[in-house]
Each structure stands twice: as C-alpha cells, then as structure tokens.
Amino acid sequence: MAGEKILVVEDNEVNRELVVDLLKIAGYLVLVAGTAEEGLQKAKEEPPDLILMDIGLPGMDGLTATRILKQAPETAHIAVVALTSFAMKGDAERVKEAGCSGYLTKPIDTRTFAQTVASFMVGTSKGNRIGGE
Ligand code: MN
C-alpha cells in the first residue's frame, strides 16, 4: 500500500463507514461520496486511483455514473469496482458493460476486503475481476 487514493461512492452510511475504515487501516487515502452526482464531481476535482461504486444509489445509479466516468477523457482511465449487494446471474455482465473492472459483493468480507481491493489496484487476476482489458 503506497497511499493510493480511493473514492468510495456509497449511500448506506454503515457500509460506507465500514469500507472507509478498512481502507484507511490498509493505508489508503479515502474520499467519500453519498450519491453518484457527488461522486462524479469528486472524481473530476480530485481524480482517485480507484473508485468503489455502489450500484444502488438514490438518484443516478452506480452503473450510469460509471458509464459517464468512462466516457469522459479526464476520468476514463480510473478503475471502477462495483459494490453490489445482489450477486445475481447477469450482474457481472451488466457491471462489465458499464465499464467496471470488476465487482465486490456486499456484505463486505472484512478479512479479505483490503486484499481484494489491492488486487484491483495492481491489476492482478484476483477477486471478481472481469475479462481482459
Ligand atoms: Mn446503496
């Protein structure tokens, strides 16, 4: 961990606090947003190395926000990992189509969370990583 910056977009306060705590303990710099709109603004203002994007958000959903990030030249390079509470068949495909590098399912597994996030950060094939890039 070398202090990479991670933006957490999550509307559920309990989940958000948990994720933020786990990331800080692992040595990351953490930015937070409670809505997709706020997340898009922060991603533009202070581009992070990785975005953890909740799919179910009030207003704009996380997949729509990811598409917007991937279409904007200034944010297209930022890896986006979806946070999804419904690991249903077809989700992986939807998440991939939106431009996410992969996804993490909720509830968060506190024992493996930081390691899985790190795997997306360094581009290894751990976690629920989708396809080749
Ligand atoms: Mn949510």
Side-chain angles (χ1 to χ4, degrees):
M1 285 345 102
E4 292 99 333
K5 198 187 301 172
I6 299 181
L7 171 61
V8 178
V9 186
E10 165 67 86
D11 64 312
N12 182 286
E13 204 177 326
V14 175
N15 280 333
R16 192 170 64 229
E17 292 303 315
L18 174 62
V19 168
V20 168
D21 285 349
L22 292 170
L23 293 175
K24 284 185 174 173
I25 289 166
Y28 293 109
L29 296 172
V30 187
L31 302 172
V32 296
T35 64
E37 290 83 353
E38 191 188 348
L40 290 174
Q41 192 181 337
K42 290 201 172 176
K44 218 180 267 186
E45 286 172 1
E46 201 175 343
D49 298 294
L50 183 86
I51 298 174
L52 292 177
M53 180 74 78
D54 181 25
I55 300 307
L57 293 164
M60 186 191 298
D61 68 86
L63 292 183
T64 302
T66 300
R67 286 189 197 98
I68 291 171
L69 288 167
K70 291 296 170 182
Q71 283 163 13
E74 66 268 41
T75 53
H77 65 285
I78 303 170
V80 180
V81 175
L83 290 174
T84 174
S85 51
F86 38 92
M88 300 187 320
K89 205 175 177 183
D91 264 12
E93 198 55 36
R94 291 196 314 135
V95 163
K96 181 184 177 184
E97 278 168 8
C100 294
S101 302
Y103 63 93
L104 287 164
T105 51
K106 296 186 278 188
I108 299 296
D109 183 341
T110 58
R111 297 162 304 173
T112 60
F113 181 73
Q115 195 180 357
T116 307
V117 169
S119 76
F120 286 111
M121 189 74 75
V122 299
T124 70
S125 58
K126 294 176 196 163
N128 298 310
R129 196 175 181 82
I130 299 168
E133 305 196 79

